[in-house]
Amino acid sequence: MTSVIDWETTPNPVKENRAGIIGKAVDRYEGPLKVTGTAPYAYEVEPPSPPAYGVMLSAPIAKGRITGVDTAAAEASPGVLLVWTYRNAPAQGPRPARYDFFTPSPRPALESDQVYFFGQQVAVVVADTLENATAAAALVNLTFEDGAKAVIFHDHYDEAVDPPGEKDVEIGDFEQAFAAAPVKVDDVWRTPLQNHCQMEPCATTAWWEGDHLTVHTSVQMVRFAQNSLAETLMLPHKNVRLLTRYVGGGFGGKGSFYEDLVLASLAARELGRPVKVALSRQQMMHGTVHRPATEQHVRLGATPDGVLTAMSLMTITHCDRRGNFTEHASNFARNLYAAPNRLTGHRLVRLDLPVASAMRAPGEASGTLSLEVAMDELAEKLGMDPVELRIKNEPPTDPETGKPFSIRQLVRCMKEGAQLFGWDRRLPTPGQVRDGRWLVGLGMAAAIRGNFLLPAKASFTVDADGVITVKQGMTDIGTGTYTVLAQIAAETLGVPLGDVRVEIGDSELPPAPGSGGQFGAATAGSAALDAGMNLRKAIAELAVGDAASPLSGGDPAQVTFQDGVIAIANRSERLSDLIRRNRPDGLTADGEVRPAADAGQWSSHTYGAHYVEVAVDPVTGEVRTRRMLGVFAAGRILNYKTARSQLTGGMIWGVGSALTEGNVVDARYGSLINQDLAGYLVPVQADIGEVEAIMLDEVDDKANPMGIKGVGELGISGAGAAVANAIYNAVGVRVRDYPITPDKLLAALMAAGR
Amino acid sequence: MRPFTYERATDAAAAVKSAAETPNAKFLAGGTNLLDLMKLEIEHPNHLIDVGRLPLAKIEDTAEGGLRIGAMASNSHVAADPRVRARYPVLTQAIVAGGSPQLRNKASVGGNLLQRTRCAYFYDTSKPCNKRAPGSGCGALEGLNRNSAIFGASHACIATHPSDMAVALVALDAEVEVLSPAGQARSFPLMELHRLPGETPDVETHLIPGELITAVVLPPPPKGGQVYRKVRDRASYSAGLASVAIAGGRMALGAVAHKPWRAAEAEAALASGASPAEAIGAELAAASANGRNGFKINLISRLVPAAVAEAREPGRGA
């Protein structure tokens, strides 16, 4: 088994970075295709013959059953090829009792007359054109029996249970310590149900050749989706080839897949022609997954000089009736601050709402919105600077497990951020800074997000032109996977970036777990590095064993790779010459990564500090973000440009979480009332003033062979709390029910006599 | 979207004639609202008469010292017109507070006036809505109606009119010019264009079926300052929670009613020397909350005095 010690002590080209390609802010590998509109996303892929088009219908009730099906008019509509409901949909693999996030299993579509949530897909119409399918879909007549439903989260707290297999975690005696603490914060925060709002909706193009299916779809996890689809269709895994070359945003929402994939596949088989199916924006809101709402109770106890003696974050959250997903909003609190007495845990309510699942930084994104504001409240009560309070409670080792940190530079993030941002200009008393009609405030919060490594494989091939091709069943969901894999390959094999090709997003390629949990770059990249190392070895051995090579007879361990040239001291030749002579069809090496057996001995996270300046109109309750700075420590950075984009993207999402984003549930229908991008407001350009992300020089040698970590979820963690704290500094009132919209802030201002 | 037929009108007379002769026809101009509504199965016209290329896009000075703005002038052109910016700054401010630059480039003046509500229940065909499906009920009345009307609502409908531009035009005392299907031109005050919902919220204007808006006419600019203030959840590209247009002694409110709301009570109070707070208080005496939109009453009571003060600052006039 691999040990962390091997990672720490073994040199490799990524660590050495001789050509300086690692970390370089190079442009996106696939950028030109995307900005010219020529990167074919799943729905745009041209199938081998003219496709048919499917349009799905969604249930207009939250719970109940389909009592009547009349498809005659739709079937008679021009161009219609098939209409399916539960009554005539093909047989599919059986749904498991509960889904598990990582285990592939069948996901049958149109499986029964039962409706489990509003927006569940209940029919599909396939026609020769999208227009004909859309027109016919309006003619499908389904009737429903509307059952009693539980959809309003806070009405069902009494039904909350421990999440499966989980218990509260208590260290010391929290209640006693909290009761005895001279300074306390004891407040409740609410976060709403949120949606991913990816630019690209879920979509599939499917076709069959004999009993082999090819699907282009938009998912984050290639192998998971391919295996699950094959099991749904009751086919051997090898009969399904799943491709997902370009993904227009995932954020956790495409960790699984939806009826577009299943029904396009089934309809293509039935009709003997390719079929395309996509979800509408409204179907994306209801018919995929969402981040569930939370209620979080934070209690902090401290000594008058600011030492935390008691800390608790208890979260109630919800999932769907058949689900198991828990928004672990309390988990990060177990690793953030020192306090001898600690209590954290979760309660789960099952509701008749759409499916709850992961959304960018599940846990941290919601949880930091309470605890990191509570710390601000505590700092004020103590008369301390919020940064000083956090530094005072910086733990020497993991505060719950006592494990050493692999590396932790949270304090440095906070200090450097404070200096760069001008934190010393913050006036501790709220409401002191006016700019025209605006009151201006500064706020900060800490950021933390876990670090993960999963098993993965990759292969590298060098061809007779000296071009390296990276192959991996990995995805790029807008994160920069293509680009960082190319950088790793170029640095490892000593070739220019322009001599690297990257092939990902295909189930026929060596498997990688995909994109999620900010484990993508570390996992896929480490496997790629291993494949690159193995290819170096194979090339070196080929060269020293080739009588025609200037390197003939040398020590393979002495071979160097630079600028497309292999050399031992001053004996050299072009890599392409060696391969052309010996392996005109190319030379391939495989690689893999597995988690280290002893990785669990360290507490390994990514960290950061957010600083935000907001302006608040105290007359109207409007909030506008003016400046944001994030300083992050996330291991070695592979590409400062793509990493910065991920971090600032997360920070901007934090503004949305604080100020605008949230789906509201109408109790009468069990549906989300804001179901498009005019009603569900994500930040737009005008909402974000200056935004900058700084990455500290860091290497986490215990994280993986490259010493890198993820940044995809770190940026959002804590960002919204910094906005909330800045609002308080501007106007002196707090709203603990997110998002902080003008109506809520106005009510708080008026309640405070302003 | 349902199948429909399409024609491009060559002149206004032909457009209104076609509208009169074709059942369930609709005029199409910029398409920024109608096409969305068709895709969502909220509107299903059988026939579209494209009036977007009619020669009605000019902005001309009138003999009285005002401006005649062609109904097909794009929102962007109107907002950027130097005469509008100099003499009717409230109109420019209101237009640029609406939509996004892309939408304003496409959207016409006539279409902006006739855009339909952003009420979520109107947009959701699984819900009752008397405006979309007369007689089906109002989903918003007992629902999540944060952004619904506080003036002039009925038990049949509490939707608001979403236009920013129209609020400024009402404050500027604009007139609309229309052409009837019989080819007759008439004009009337723009504040009489839109109706309150009453029992028939699906009927939104006093236009007769097939009538085409051809122009908006602005009288000479009023004496006194002008300002448009819009409160919204995010800085751009979102519907207003409340807005106010002030043009001299006239005032109109937006996002509070089924039509741009001329604040006549407030105007009268201000004219008789009341403070801005007293004046808007007089207007709000007629306001009523419908569940979750009560904050709008507080919001307007605070917003309007701030806007009046802004309008009274030097340099705010025409």
Side-chain angles (χ1 to χ4, degrees):
Chain A
M1 286 292 281
T2 314
S3 162
V4 164
I5 310 300
D6 301 332
W7 293 344
E8 280 189 287
T9 54
T10 312
N12 66 48
V14 167
K15 288 185 186 176
E16 290 165 7
N17 198 20
R18 292 193 181 173
I21 296 172
I22 299 300
K24 204 170 171 186
V26 299
D27 291 345
R28 267 172 214 277
Y29 175 89
E30 80 290 12
L33 293 179
K34 284 183 173 170
V35 298
T36 56
T38 51
Y41 286 80
Y43 200 76
E44 300 158 346
V45 168
E46 207 162 303
S49 58
Y53 297 83
V55 170
M56 298 188 294
L57 272 87
S58 312
I61 62 165
K63 188 180 188 180
R65 61 186 195 92
I66 306 168
T67 52
V69 175
D70 178 2
T71 57
E75 282 164 10
S77 190
V80 170
L81 301 169
L82 67 80
V83 181
W84 279 342
T85 65
Y86 77 94
R87 290 200 183 158
N88 60 345
Q92 298 156 67
R95 174 181 291 265
R98 292 201 190 279
Y99 286 124
D100 155 355
F101 211 63
F102 289 103
T103 313
S105 57
R107 294 181 178 237
L110 312 179
E111 56 182 318
S112 80
D113 64 342
Q114 296 297 305
V115 175
Y116 293 96
F117 58 87
F118 190 101
Q120 177 183 318
Q121 311 311 339
V122 287
V124 64
V125 177
V126 183
D128 56 348
T129 64
L130 178 61
E131 291 76 12
N132 279 338
T134 306
L139 303 175
V140 173
N141 187 14
L142 301 178
T143 52
F144 296 87
E145 184 184 280
D146 204 349
K149 56 192 175 285
V151 294
I152 300 301
F153 174 44
H154 59 252
D155 289 346
H156 295 275
Y157 289 167
D158 57 334
E159 295 161 31
V161 296
D162 287 339
E166 293 182 24
K167 286 268 171 266
D168 296 345
V169 176
E170 181 161 21
I171 311 269
D173 185 335
F174 169 76
E175 297 292 350
Q176 193 184 17
F178 180 69
V183 186
K184 290 178 200 174
V185 170
D186 184 348
D187 278 310
V188 172
W189 281 261
R190 284 181 175 182
T191 65
L193 192 154
Q194 291 185 335
N195 244 286
H196 302 76
C197 298
Q198 306 95 332
M199 287 285 278
E200 181 207 20
C202 295
T204 300
T205 299
W207 66 87
W208 293 75
E209 285 149 301
D211 59 356
H212 280 71
L213 170 67
T214 300
V215 288
H216 287 261
T217 192
S218 185
V219 294
Q220 294 173 224
M221 317 283 182
V222 176
R223 183 56 68 97
F224 174 88
Q226 179 236 4
N227 287 357
S228 296
L229 176 61
E231 290 172 25
T232 308
L233 303 175
M234 299 186 289
L235 285 173
H237 292 170
K238 65 176 172 49
N239 287 28
V240 173
R241 183 180 181 192
L242 184 142
L243 299 103
T244 183
R245 299 271 199 221
Y246 304 102
V247 178
F251 312 119
K254 294 175 182 172
S256 184
F257 59 89
Y258 307 97
E259 286 86 345
D260 59 303
L261 180 57
V262 176
L263 292 173
S265 302
L266 288 168
R269 183 169 69 188
E270 176 77 15
L271 297 172
R273 72 190 272 191
V275 171
K276 291 176 184 274
V277 180
L279 272 68
S280 68
R281 179 58 63 191
Q282 291 75 15
Q283 288 173 330
M284 289 299 292
M285 287 281 184
H286 281 105
T288 65
V289 293
H290 59 263
R291 190 200 300 279
T294 66
E295 182 171 290
Q296 303 174 40
H297 185 192
V298 180
R299 286 176 290 170
L300 300 176
T303 62
D305 59 345
V307 175
L308 280 172
T309 54
M311 183 217 73
S312 173
L313 170 49
M314 294 297 295
T315 299
I316 309 177
T317 182
H318 63 88
C319 71
D320 46 299
R321 192 61 70 182
R322 298 182 293 175
N324 250 352
F325 178 82
T326 305
E327 184 73 41
H328 285 116
S330 300
N331 275 6
F332 78 99
R334 295 171 183 161
N335 310 105
L336 192 50
Y337 299 119
N341 302 287
R342 321 164 63 84
L343 175 64
T344 48
H346 303 86
R347 300 287 183 276
L348 188 58
V349 183
R350 290 203 168 83
L351 297 174
D352 301 306
L353 284 177
V355 179
S357 190
M359 184 163 136
R360 200 171 195 172
E364 282 86 342
S366 303
T368 49
L369 287 166
S370 70
L371 182 66
E372 282 304 288
V373 177
M375 287 294 280
D376 203 66
E377 296 188 13
L378 182 63
E380 189 190 27
K381 286 188 176 178
L382 292 163
M384 277 178 87
D385 181 271
V387 176
E388 286 309 312
L389 174 65
R390 287 169 171 85
I391 292 173
K392 187 130 198 169
N393 291 285
E394 173 71 4
T397 57
D398 188 284
E400 273 200 33
T401 62
K403 290 176 184 174
F405 295 117
S406 59
I407 182 168
R408 172 164 162 136
Q409 299 203 77
L410 173 59
V411 169
R412 199 179 142 208
C413 289
M414 290 192 287
K415 285 183 171 171
E416 295 202 6
Q419 194 171 5
L420 287 165
F421 189 75
W423 181 248
D424 58 351
R425 295 208 302 268
R426 172 181 178 269
L427 301 178
T429 307
Q432 303 298 299
V433 182
R434 185 173 272 281
D435 178 4
R437 67 181 166 100
W438 302 95
L439 287 170
V440 179
L442 307 185
M444 66 82 58
I448 180 172
R449 172 67 183 158
N451 174 55
F452 310 96
L453 184 75
L454 299 177
K457 297 183 176 182
S459 85
F460 274 33
T461 299
V462 55
D463 68 15
D465 295 324
V467 169
I468 311 295
T469 300
V470 180
K471 294 186 178 182
Q472 192 174 45
M474 180 57 189
T475 52
D476 187 326
I477 61 172
T479 46
T481 308
Y482 277 107
T483 316
V484 298
L485 288 177
Q487 288 174 275
I488 291 167
E491 187 62 57
T492 305
L493 275 305
V495 300
L497 255 182
D499 283 352
V500 180
R501 304 281 174 271
V502 181
E503 291 180 18
I504 59 172
D506 185 342
S507 61
E508 312 258 286
L509 301 175
S515 304
Q518 78 173 19
F519 54 65
T523 298
S526 297
L529 171 63
D530 190 53
M533 297 292 284
N534 289 338
L535 184 59
R536 277 171 70 111
K537 209 175 296 171
I539 291 167
E541 279 162 11
L542 189 64
V544 299
D546 174 12
S549 171
L551 282 64
S552 174
D555 175 2
Q558 300 302 314
V559 177
T560 60
F561 295 74
Q562 198 180 349
D563 296 331
V565 173
I566 51 172
I568 299 176
N570 55 6
R571 292 190 286 156
S572 68
E573 72 168 327
R574 294 206 65 78
L575 174 58
S576 53
D577 292 338
L578 173 78
I579 301 300
R580 195 171 295 131
R581 246 185 357 260
N582 292 279
R583 296 292 181 95
D585 295 334
L587 175 63
T588 295
D590 298 327
E592 67 174 327
V593 69
R594 292 179 174 284
D598 51 358
Q601 293 178 21
W602 285 271
S603 173
S604 182
H605 297 82
T606 58
Y607 299 95
H610 295 279
Y611 290 86
V612 175
E613 176 181 324
V614 302
V616 182
D617 183 334
V619 171
T620 63
E622 290 171 288
V623 179
R624 301 288 177 253
T625 307
R626 291 187 166 188
R627 277 199 303 144
M628 301 185 83
L629 171 71
V631 178
F632 301 100
R636 188 192 310 278
I637 299 300
L638 290 173
N639 180 328
Y640 278 95
K641 189 172 193 173
T642 54
R644 180 185 176 279
S645 289
Q646 288 206 72
L647 287 164
T648 54
M651 291 161 69
I652 290 165
W653 204 325
V655 175
S657 297
L659 300 181
T660 57
E661 290 186 47
N663 284 113
V664 281
V665 179
D666 188 315
R668 299 167 299 170
Y669 310 103
S671 71
L672 310 175
I673 287 305
N674 46 348
Q675 51 172 338
D676 59 32
L677 296 179
Y680 186 99
L681 300 183
V682 301
V684 296
Q685 187 74 25
D687 291 303
I688 306 298
E690 290 174 41
V691 55
E692 190 51 270
I694 308 280
M695 289 153 270
L696 295 186
D697 254 342
E698 180 177 287
V699 175
D700 189 342
D701 269 334
K702 296 184 177 66
N704 51 61
M706 298 185 292
I708 75 160
K709 290 188 281 198
V711 294
E713 299 181 325
L714 179 60
I716 188 175
S717 304
V723 173
N725 292 338
I727 293 170
Y728 179 77
N729 186 239
V731 291
V733 297
R734 293 200 191 264
V735 173
R736 298 185 185 87
D737 180 14
Y738 293 101
I740 306 172
T741 46
D743 49 332
K744 295 179 196 170
L745 194 52
L746 191 63
L749 285 162
M750 292 178 74
R754 264 172 289 221
Chain B
M1 189 183 284
R2 315 278 176 90
F4 60 91
T5 53
Y6 169 90
E7 71 173 290
R8 183 181 296 169
T10 49
D11 59 56
V16 291
K17 186 162 181 286
S18 177
E21 289 167 357
T22 320
N24 196 18
K26 282 251 172 198
F27 295 123
L28 172 73
T32 58
N33 191 215
L34 179 60
L35 297 184
D36 275 356
L37 295 172
M38 288 170 68
K39 290 175 189 172
L40 292 166
E41 300 272 346
I42 295 162
E43 296 256 21
H44 7 78
N46 292 327
H47 184 66
L48 290 185
I49 303 161
D50 187 346
V51 296
R53 289 174 175 80
L54 293 182
L56 297 173
K58 280 198 194 120
I59 303 175
E60 304 161 297
D61 288 299
T62 64
E64 293 74 29
L67 281 181
R68 173 179 283 101
I69 300 170
M72 294 309 138
S74 78
N75 286 189
S76 296
H77 274 115
V78 178
D81 186 278
R83 292 162 294 181
V84 174
R85 293 174 62 185
R87 286 147 60 186
Y88 307 97
V90 65
L91 181 55
T92 292
Q93 289 169 24
I95 290 172
V96 301
S100 69
Q102 296 90 332
L103 289 170
R104 296 194 293 268
N105 287 343
K106 285 298 288 178
S108 67
V109 166
N112 183 313
L113 293 172
L114 298 181
Q115 67 180 302
R116 308 201 66 189
T117 184
R118 299 292 185 267
C119 178
Y121 295 86
F122 173 71
Y123 266 80
D124 184 344
T125 52
S126 72
K127 304 294 186 289
C129 172
N130 289 321
K131 184 182 282 298
R132 172 170 35 76
S136 62
C138 173
L141 201 59
E142 305 286 323
L144 297 157
N145 54 25
R146 172 176 177 257
N147 211 0
S148 59
I150 54 169
F151 290 112
S154 71
H155 69 274
C157 181
I158 56 171
T160 58
H161 194 267
S163 172
D164 291 292
M165 183 189 80
V167 180
L169 290 175
V170 165
L172 288 167
D173 208 8
E175 299 233 322
V176 278
E177 293 183 350
V178 301
L179 189 64
S180 77
Q184 280 180 319
R186 63 178 179 125
S187 69
F188 55 89
L190 190 139
M191 65 167 279
E192 290 168 18
L193 173 64
H194 299 95
R195 296 161 47 108
L196 288 175
E199 297 300 313
T200 55
D202 54 313
V203 184
E204 295 175 346
T205 69
H206 289 289
L207 295 175
I208 62 172
E211 213 163 24
L212 179 70
I213 297 176
T214 54
V216 167
V217 181
L218 296 174
K223 285 193 169 61
Q226 298 180 28
V227 74
Y228 188 73
R229 283 283 304 275
K230 176 182 182 182
V231 178
R232 46 186 155 176
D233 286 317
R234 69 181 173 192
S236 175
Y237 198 14
S238 65
L241 298 171
S243 69
V244 57
I246 293 168
R250 291 179 63 102
M251 183 192 301
L253 303 173
V256 293
H258 200 250
K259 56 188 280 187
W261 189 259
R262 167 104 185 269
E265 297 290 334
E267 286 175 10
L270 279 176
S272 62
S275 73
E278 290 163 350
I280 195 60
E283 189 70 39
L284 286 166
S288 62
N290 278 298
R292 303 180 188 230
N293 64 350
F295 77 95
K296 286 190 174 185
I297 295 172
N298 292 329
L299 180 55
I300 287 166
S301 71
R302 294 161 72 99
L303 172 67
V304 168
V308 169
E310 203 175 321
R312 287 174 179 172
E313 288 170 4
R316 292 284 179 179

